[in-house]
Amino acid sequence: MSRKIRETKKNFKVFCEGDTEYNYIDEMRRQKRFSIAIKQVNMKGGGYSNFLDQVKTDGTMNCLAKFIIIDGDRAVAEEGEKKILRELLEYCMLQNQSGRVPHVLIVDYPDFEYIACLHTPKFKGQDVAQYIVKELGYKSVDEFKADEKVYNVLNSNGNSSDLMLSLLRKDNCFIVNEYHIKKKLYEIKISTVYDWEKLGRKGSNINEFFEIINRF
């Protein structure tokens, strides 16, 4: 009797800064039921060197693309972190230029909590920590970060990722990944441009994550 060959599903891997991003993407994955599996890796902080080490050693079998979602505030606050961010950026660009598994580096500035607030119509640039408590009803930012249902909070009662995405401006982004997709071939080509002078501007290129995963 011949053994049935098990088909392994293609997947996206998402390296997340911490619990908030992990919980958000995990719940989105459950609700949206994408045709391509999404596997999150919670980096639990540790700085950019942690990301660089993990991404370098992580396997690529059946991986369609890797998304590396980081906060940009570290690079602005510490010159040493900025140096490692440069190494991470150069590594991702090298992978993309070589035709290996695409590495899509995404930088939220100052952090994902700011991007979360952009989901809500009342947010007009207020202090993020105070806004999360006053308007989103959490006791603290830590409680917000630990909420496994944060995706639901940010996508109900008038809040939405569509609103957030509509507020992001490409010309404010430190990094922009141009992508070309051949869906039938499961092929993604990435080319990257960046501008260090824009690193401290509030915003994100997280739209690229939404756009790419929704194409499959």
Side-chain angles (χ1 to χ4, degrees), residues 80-186:
E81 288 287 344
K82 184 176 181 180
K83 179 181 177 182
I84 302 170
L85 174 57
R86 185 185 298 274
E87 292 178 17
L88 177 59
L89 172 59
E90 290 175 350
Y91 177 79
C92 291
M93 292 177 65
L94 179 63
Q95 303 310 301
N96 297 334
Q97 291 165 3
S98 67
R100 301 187 182 99
V101 172
H103 285 51
V104 186
L105 181 61
I106 292 169
V107 179
D108 297 328
Y109 187 83
D111 50 33
F112 186 76
E113 284 66 51
Y114 171 76
I115 302 305
C117 290
L118 292 179
H119 285 66
T120 67
K122 291 183 179 180
F123 184 69
K124 306 298 179 183
Q126 301 95 311
D127 178 270
V128 168
Q130 293 179 12
Y131 186 85
I132 286 173
V133 172
K134 183 179 179 181
E135 298 296 340
L136 296 183
Y138 290 92
K139 294 178 181 178
S140 65
V141 174
D142 286 340
E143 183 184 56
F144 169 77
K145 289 182 176 182
D147 185 4
E148 294 182 355
K149 299 300 181 182
V150 66
Y151 177 81
N152 295 334
V153 173
L154 297 177
N155 286 276
S156 61
N157 299 319
N159 304 332
S160 74
S161 58
D162 288 340
L163 174 60
M164 176 271 293
L165 292 170
S166 73
L167 295 173
L168 298 180
R169 293 175 52 193
K170 188 175 180 178
D171 58 356
N172 264 353
C173 291
F174 155 59
I175 181 171
V176 175
N177 296 291
E178 300 288 351
Y179 57 88
H180 301 279
I181 295 172
K182 293 181 180 179
K183 184 176 179 180
K184 290 183 179 180
L185 299 177
Y186 292 104

Side-chain angles (χ1 to χ4, degrees), residues 28-47:
M28 179 178 71
R29 173 186 63 79
R30 293 175 190 275
Q31 292 190 23
K32 298 286 188 179
R33 297 183 179 275
F34 298 100
S35 59
I36 301 294
I38 297 177
K39 298 182 177 181
Q40 308 100 265
V41 180
N42 191 339
M43 301 301 294
K44 297 288 186 180

